[in-house]
Amino acid sequence: MTIRCLARHPPVEVSPGTCYGQSDVGLAAGWEFFASQLADYIQTAGIRRLVASPLARCRIPAEWVATRTHCELRLDARLKEISFGNWEMRVWDNIPRNALDEWAADLLGFVPPQGESGQELIARVTAFWNETNAGSSCVVLSHGGPLRVLEALVSGKNIDLAVAAMPLGSIRPVL
């Protein structure tokens, strides 16, 4: 599959400032507007395949889109957000400052307690890319972390986990 479009899930129903990573949190009200826009893009572009993270904030809109567009839906765990382990569902301000500083100093190697490193995220998303980057077109619906990696791979740039993530609920065609 050739990736023709990247999409980031719509806003979620968690308190602002909460670290949620791979936690399976619910969608905020109004997610259907995003799903409708994604369905319109898929139909207009003639894309027949949607690949999404299995976490509910991606899976639910993906199922909605697939039902309405009759495109093939494939869920792939390699597209999940990075795991923040014991930090998940904690308010960022309640995570020890020194731990956040260690993470910021080493985005690739630092591992939150019971979580995964940036390098592990890159490895699993790159494995997805290597398997996916050929054949028919697809849309990928995922999270900020994996989309940073995919954007770099699609554009032939170096992977930089410090770049700003696509906004929630955004759809970005790949040229």
Side-chain angles (χ1 to χ4, degrees):
M1 294 176 287
T2 301
I3 296 173
R4 293 265 312 276
C5 178
L6 300 173
R8 186 170 180 200
H9 65 81
V12 296
E13 196 171 79
V14 297
S15 299
T18 301
C19 171
Y20 53 91
Q22 285 189 8
S23 296
D24 213 2
V25 298
L27 290 162
W31 64 266
E32 297 90 347
F33 178 74
F34 162 81
S36 177
Q37 289 182 311
L38 187 58
D40 288 347
Y41 175 82
I42 285 173
Q43 288 182 314
T44 301
I47 296 171
R48 304 299 314 139
R49 185 172 291 127
L50 173 59
V51 185
S53 160
L55 296 178
R57 58 192 184 263
C58 292
R59 180 183 43 77
I60 291 170
E63 290 171 345
W64 190 97
V65 168
T67 297
R68 280 151 185 82
T69 64
H70 306 289
C71 72
E72 175 189 337
L73 172 60
R74 188 175 112 205
L75 300 177
D76 195 311
R78 295 173 294 183
L79 294 174
K80 285 183 179 181
E81 182 59 280
I82 192 168
S83 171
F84 288 109
N86 295 343
W87 291 0
E88 297 210 5
M89 299 313 295
R90 292 179 61 187
V91 175
W92 285 105
D93 289 343
N94 293 339
I95 297 170
R97 183 69 211 179
N98 65 324
L100 293 174
D101 289 343
E102 286 180 49
W103 176 41
D106 185 9
L107 292 175
L108 295 178
F110 181 82
V111 181
Q114 304 299 310
E116 72 179 318
S117 70
Q119 193 59 50
E120 291 170 312
L121 168 71
I122 291 169
R124 67 178 159 82
V125 175
T126 300
F128 168 81
W129 165 258
N130 289 335
E131 179 183 300
T132 302
N133 192 26
S136 62
S137 300
C138 72
V139 170
V140 172
L141 173 55
S142 188
H143 312 271
L147 290 172
R148 283 182 183 97
V149 177
L150 285 173
E151 278 188 299
L153 292 170
V154 164
S155 65
K157 296 180 181 176
N158 290 329
I159 297 169
D160 181 358
L161 297 180
V163 299
M166 291 174 57
L168 292 170
S170 62
I171 300 167
R172 187 171 296 162
V174 174
L175 302 175

